Amino acid sequence: MVADMITMTRDDAPSAAAGAAPGATSAEIIREYGPYPGAPRVAGVSYDGEHVWIAAPSGLIAIDPDTGQVRRTLETAADAGTAFDGTHLYQLADHVIRKLDRTTGEVLTTIPAPGKGRDSGLTWAEGTLWVGQYRDRTITQIDPVDGKVLRTIQSNRFVTGVTFVDGDLWHATGEGDASELRRVDRDTGDVLERLELPAGVGVSGLESDGADRLFCGGGESGKLRVVRRPKRG
């Protein structure tokens, strides 16, 4: 689980990036909710078309994205990223990814997580799962049936959340007290767009509503923040 603010040591210095990154623009935070009872920290975020789900010590909490009110809870281990495939929820915890019944929280299947405890983000796209590895600074696409690794994309920052929207791969980063949301090339990892969060505002978990909202977990702050996704073109 990624904290709201990350302390970078000398050994954690960023590796070389693939390609020159564009200049950053300031992220527009349009809403902020929480913290919620049983959720002193947020470890993952997903969206099922109706509710935003946050992963917290007490389990998965479903939140109305328009009002910020809690609608449902599921008791389950929830250490890191969360995803939704259109029917089921997926949750990173204890070095595995659990496929869950969205109504009951029942664990249907389990596959190994690729990062062996270093996983920090999770999203569903194009029939596969995409997993962020925090300290490895990578995003790995895996088969949701057996966990087979299909591809790995390198970043030059700690990866703290991943999502897809309009065919674009976005991921959240954290270094020291600085965090960004980045749109990247899914094949090369080259950074195409950067949204810079205010100093000290971390991101732990990232999800899109399929339109102009990016939902960002707030780590140890226990907050859920909503960032406006800039229009393309």
Side-chain angles (χ1 to χ4, degrees):
M1 199 279 297
V2 181
D4 189 49
M5 295 177 62
I6 301 165
T7 301
M8 184 174 70
T9 66
R10 181 173 297 177
D11 290 339
D12 295 327
S15 58
T25 59
S26 297
E28 182 185 357
I29 300 174
I30 55 178
R31 294 202 175 184
E32 186 174 285
Y33 300 122
Y36 295 95
R41 62 182 181 274
V42 177
V45 181
S46 193
Y47 179 66
D48 66 5
E50 183 179 4
H51 300 124
V52 179
W53 292 85
I54 62 171
S58 61
L60 282 168
I61 301 172
I63 297 166
D64 185 314
D66 296 317
T67 66
Q69 295 181 340
V70 173
R71 296 304 188 191
R72 298 183 53 212
T73 59
L74 293 176
E75 292 186 7
T76 188
D79 296 344
T82 311
F84 179 66
D85 68 359
T87 304
H88 303 97
L89 290 165
Y90 293 80
Q91 182 58 52
L92 273 162
D94 305 323
H95 312 333
V96 299
I97 300 172
R98 296 182 173 94
K99 182 179 181 180
L100 306 174
D101 184 296
R102 185 175 40 150
T103 301
T104 65
E106 177 187 358
V107 178
L108 303 176
T109 60
T110 300
I111 60 174
K116 298 179 180 179
R118 300 185 298 275
D119 307 288
S120 57
L122 189 66
T123 196
W124 176 274
E126 301 169 348
T128 60
L129 288 166
W130 297 70
V131 189
Q133 278 91 54
Y134 171 54
R135 289 194 178 276
D136 292 347
R137 301 184 178 91
T138 57
I139 300 167
T140 301
Q141 181 188 20
I142 66 171
D143 188 307
V145 175
D146 57 13
K148 178 183 178 181
V149 173
L150 304 176
R151 84 169 86 177
T152 298
I153 301 168
Q154 188 70 46
S155 177
N156 70 337
R157 291 291 186 272
F158 292 138
V159 177
T160 63
V162 290
T163 191
F164 267 85
V165 56
D166 289 342
D168 291 329
L169 173 61
W170 287 77
H171 77 86
T173 74
E175 298 286 346
D177 67 348
S179 294
E180 292 181 354
L181 306 180
R182 293 181 166 188
R183 181 170 60 88
V184 301
D185 187 297
R186 68 167 73 187
D187 295 315
T188 66
D190 288 348
V191 180
L192 306 176
E193 185 174 4
R194 299 165 55 209
L195 304 180
E196 187 176 51
L197 278 298
V201 174
V203 180
S204 57
L206 177 66
E207 184 63 291
S208 165
D209 70 348
D212 64 349
R213 293 181 296 184
L214 295 168
F215 301 112
C216 305
E220 298 293 339
S221 72
K223 294 182 178 180
L224 173 68
R225 299 182 176 97
V226 185
V227 171
R228 190 185 308 279
R229 180 172 68 99
K231 292 183 179 179
R232 296 273 300 276

